[in-house]
Amino acid sequence: MSSILPKELQQEIFERLPLKTLLRFKSVCKTWYYVFSHPLFVKMHRIRTIKKNNTKLVMVHYLIGENKRSAIYPMELEYNSLSSKLSPSTGSPFGEVVEMDYLNLPSDSFALLGSCDGLICLLDTSLPSGEDDICFWNLSTKEYKKIPVPPYFKKSNTDQGLYGLGYDDKIDDFKLVRVAEILTPCTRSDDGHVFEVSRFRPKSKVLISCFKSHSVVQIYTLGSNSWRFCQSQEMPYYFPGGTVPGVVVNGALHWCATNKRDNCEAIISFDMTNEIFKEVAKIGSMLHPIGHVSDSDTNHLAVLGGCVCVLHKTYDFKVDVWVMQEYGVNQWTKRFTITQKSIAKTRRLRIVCEFQNNEIVFDTDDSLVYYDPNDNTEKKLKIPGTQILCGAEEYVPSLAPLATRFW
């Protein structure tokens, strides 16, 4: 075919082939291997896959067995057939889902740090040393890559880090961003000055032992296989919720955060290309009625219809779904209210994927939950034999390579 068809036409044909076919063709010759591994081809194939495929692919992470080992299940949620599978007579729609083989991973105990275009980032939690391994894994090619340990990674020196995995279109590469809270031991002398322990003058009388806290932003780039500090700005935010993966909207990662200065809750974004944090909107006054603020109210960030969305869990066990219709404009519309207990009473609440008629699949404490806002109905989607749901992510099959790049 290479001697008959022009290269442009070959490219058009290759971009339309299923990923499984391309994986077989990569072994035919070196030329095809390099073509299918090039970042431009990988990018165009991913774009075409998204446009032509109505099937939602979801990676589900469970703990199973007495040792609570991690297990990953790939699930295919097809819009046209999912509703029919949820009828009471059909039982579980995922009775035939099979656990994914990940024998190339270093352990079967890990936490999910983020997901982007078929790549997932995992934190190996099996090591007792306090310096756990971080790795990338391509769900489609099964390729695995352990990455260097970031600076300030020892648990004794930092709170639980905040992570987010995204893609930089400018350099055609994946980036992992980490925000760490660094605690520096300090002492306060009798004259009121605060000194770091390493700089403290022994002759001064110590009245109080304390810690100074500051945030650092670290960025790992897959192509360079290295970490570096992002020194562009101060990070005046706290991030509640631990290692909840960032939400991607307009090519930027988003989290809920609390401003250290005014203690106000806000949505902040991180631009993967310019590597800048920005406050997108303050959400406290929007969500709380005048004269009412409850400590039991919580907010969860999501994406709905391509827009930033806040899932506001109220004190009376309801979930108000607010949508920012125009990005960056702090005007919100309450789309609907969820009263189902399986969604309203869970601690963890994330939108995994949505379908054409507004149906949503949520990630909750114990299972995925299918919800139809048109009639306020829900159904739990459990995989037989599983126990604790750790998380779920929608993904797109990708050829993205993890080995050292040659371009």
Side-chain angles (χ1 to χ4, degrees), residues 214-227:
H214 69 282
S215 297
V216 295
V217 181
Q218 302 160 325
I219 298 173
Y220 169 83
T221 304
L222 181 61
S224 66
N225 192 34
S226 62
W227 290 88

Side-chain angles (χ1 to χ4, degrees), residues 7 13 30 103 142 154 176 179 181 200 212 235 238 241 278 293 353 405-407:
K7 289 185 178 180
I13 295 174
K30 289 184 178 180
L103 295 178
K142 307 293 180 67
K154 291 184 178 180
L176 178 66
V179 179
E181 194 77 12
F200 182 69
K212 288 177 63 178
M235 175 51 59
Y238 293 111
K278 178 183 178 181
V293 176
C353 58
R405 301 193 172 191
F406 48 81
W407 53 81

